[in-house]
Amino acid sequence: MYFVILSFTRIGMDYEKILVTGAGGQLGSVLVEALKIKFGQDAVIASDLNPIKNYTGIYEQLDVTDKARLEQIVKENKVTQIYHLAAILSAKGEQNPLLTWDINMKTLFNVLEVSVEEKVNKVFYPSSIAVYGDMAPKTDTAQTDFLNPSTVYGISKASGENWGQYYFLKYGLDVRSLRYPGVIGYQSLPGGGTTDYAVEIYHKAVKEEAFECYLKPDAMLPMIYMEDTIRATLELMDAPKDAITVRTSYNLQGMSFTPEQITANIKKYYPNFKVSYKPDFRQTIAENWPSSLNDEQARQDWGWKPKYDLDAMTRDMLMQLTKQYNLVTQ
């Protein structure tokens, strides 16, 4: 990933002070490292509910439902940007819907309110394909297609998109957002999302263990590789303010595939890899989501274009995980 991030200049960025909430998660753990490379280690504050193991840099323990603590960190550090990643994800969220709603929304409101009060320049809020439901077209789902989410996670994200737009319109707060597809990366283990099978399957393959998939073989979903995810996030946040025409959340498409297709791709390298299928409640969630997204608005507004397809992602995932597990390359 670092060869992508190093292309950004640090000229004129020394004044930035960036707070990342949920920095210990699947996305946050990679994003903080990219931000440190771009802005410098002293410019980035990683925060999470629990300590981050082996983290190097500025860390603040933070429960984002505690507005006073959030305000203290922002004020004392003169924070100029907040990347608000703390949330309960789709699959975990269905196990405790009311808690998920309470945490996801309360943390967002605290971030928005503190940002207005302390004059934070920019806020990043990650949304998700979970905002769509069965009333949206399954393929090439448009930026403006109807949102009727079927999970509490999706409901909270759809609400969050609109609150972000509200704070922009009412207070001028520069809130920016991406509707992430399933994010796949080797840097950390899955965090409770419906698309997490596409991370776990690679771990099983390199360890030469059988994999039981909780989705059906033909469950087509939009996905994106972590390197593209981080690059898209930084490119969005770097774009001129007047170039941002979507103040809810931009669709972001990387690639789309099924469990059957990713298995076939892995078998090019691990021909004896065994996959079985035992669909559970996550299959029902997946059936309400798009199989591909139309991200034309992101391409037009700030030049978004993915670099990784399924083949390129599989090669890199297998190579990186083989190194992590100290295994012999296939």
Side-chain angles (χ1 to χ4, degrees):
M1 178 187 69
Y2 298 127
F3 70 91
V4 174
I5 304 304
L6 284 171
S7 64
F8 289 95
T9 179
R10 290 183 57 198
I11 297 172
M13 295 179 179
D14 292 343
Y15 69 94
E16 297 288 3
K17 200 73 170 185
I18 299 163
L19 173 65
V20 181
T21 72
Q26 181 192 12
L27 178 61
S29 59
V30 185
L31 180 61
V32 290
E33 297 304 320
L35 288 168
K36 284 193 292 185
I37 290 171
K38 181 177 179 181
F39 293 100
Q41 182 168 290
D42 293 341
V44 181
I45 305 164
S47 72
D48 209 298
L49 190 60
N50 300 305
I52 303 172
K53 189 176 180 181
N54 300 322
Y55 181 72
T56 303
I58 304 171
Y59 168 78
E60 294 280 0
Q61 192 158 353
L62 172 64
D63 178 350
V64 197
T65 63
D66 183 349
K67 185 187 175 190
R69 174 65 175 146
L70 173 64
E71 187 174 16
Q72 178 189 17
I73 293 171
V74 171
K75 186 177 293 186
E76 288 181 354
N77 292 279
K78 296 181 172 59
V79 168
T80 61
Q81 296 186 31
I82 299 177
Y83 289 72
H84 176 48
L85 308 183
I88 298 177
L89 302 183
S90 59
K92 280 190 177 180
E94 290 308 284
Q95 297 169 13
N96 197 332
L98 294 183
L99 177 65
T100 299
W101 172 262
D102 186 50
I103 288 178
N104 288 2
M105 297 311 298
K106 187 173 184 179
T107 58
L108 174 61
F109 285 134
N110 285 347
V111 167
L112 294 174
E113 281 291 294
V114 169
S115 295
V116 170
E117 292 163 6
E118 299 302 322
K119 296 179 173 56
V120 171
N121 294 334
K122 293 180 188 176
V123 173
F124 177 75
Y125 173 69
S127 190
S128 165
I129 57 172
V131 298
Y132 291 110
D134 60 5
M135 292 181 68
K138 288 289 287 182
T139 59
D140 201 34
T141 308
Q143 180 71 53
T144 55
D145 277 331
F146 189 75
L147 307 183
N148 66 316
S150 62
T151 63
V152 67
Y153 173 70
I155 294 168
S156 71
K157 286 298 180 184
S159 298
E161 288 184 10
N162 285 295
W163 276 110
Q165 178 175 252
Y166 179 85
Y167 271 73
F168 170 73
L169 295 173
K170 187 172 180 64
Y171 303 108
L173 181 62
D174 191 356
V175 185
R176 306 184 183 195
S177 180
L178 294 172
R179 287 178 186 153
Y180 288 133
V183 176
I184 304 169
Y186 59 84
Q187 294 90 343
S188 61
L189 293 172
T194 299
T195 57
D196 282 348
Y197 88 88
V199 178
E200 187 182 358
I201 194 171
Y202 287 111
H203 287 263
K204 293 291 187 180
V206 298
K207 293 191 288 185
E208 299 187 52
E209 298 174 359
F211 176 64
E212 183 177 270
C213 185
Y214 52 76
L215 298 182
K216 292 179 180 179
D218 61 351
M220 177 80 73
L221 288 170
M223 303 282 188
I224 190 169
Y225 197 35
M226 182 66 79
E227 275 70 4
D228 275 342
T229 306
I230 299 299
R231 183 171 55 83
T233 304
L234 297 181
E235 286 178 359
L236 171 70
M237 293 298 279
D238 272 349
K241 188 174 181 179
D242 59 6
I244 306 301
T245 65
V246 177
R247 286 295 175 174
T248 49
S249 190
Y250 281 97
N251 277 3
L252 189 72
Q253 173 75 10
M255 67 197 89
S256 291
F257 55 79
T258 66
E260 206 167 39
Q261 289 171 332
I262 193 174
T263 299
N265 209 261
I266 291 171
K267 281 190 172 184
K268 294 177 184 178
Y269 305 89
Y270 292 84
N272 297 320
F273 182 45
K274 303 294 183 186
V275 176
S276 58
Y277 297 91
K278 189 178 180 181
D280 62 16
F281 73 99
R282 287 167 285 194
Q283 173 62 33
T284 304
I285 295 174
E287 287 172 358
N288 285 294
W289 289 356
S291 59
S292 62
L293 299 175
N294 184 316
D295 59 5
E296 188 61 32
Q297 201 65 52
R299 292 170 182 262
Q300 288 180 6
D301 287 0
W302 43 276
W304 162 244
K305 186 178 181 181
K307 292 184 177 179
Y308 283 83
D309 59 13
L310 178 56
D311 289 336
M313 179 179 72
T314 293
R315 286 195 301 271
D316 199 53
M317 281 289 290
L318 295 177
M319 179 185 71
Q320 298 292 347
L321 290 176
T322 297
K323 290 178 183 177
Q324 282 187 20
Y325 288 111
N326 294 316
L327 300 170
V328 177
T329 304
Q330 293 286 314

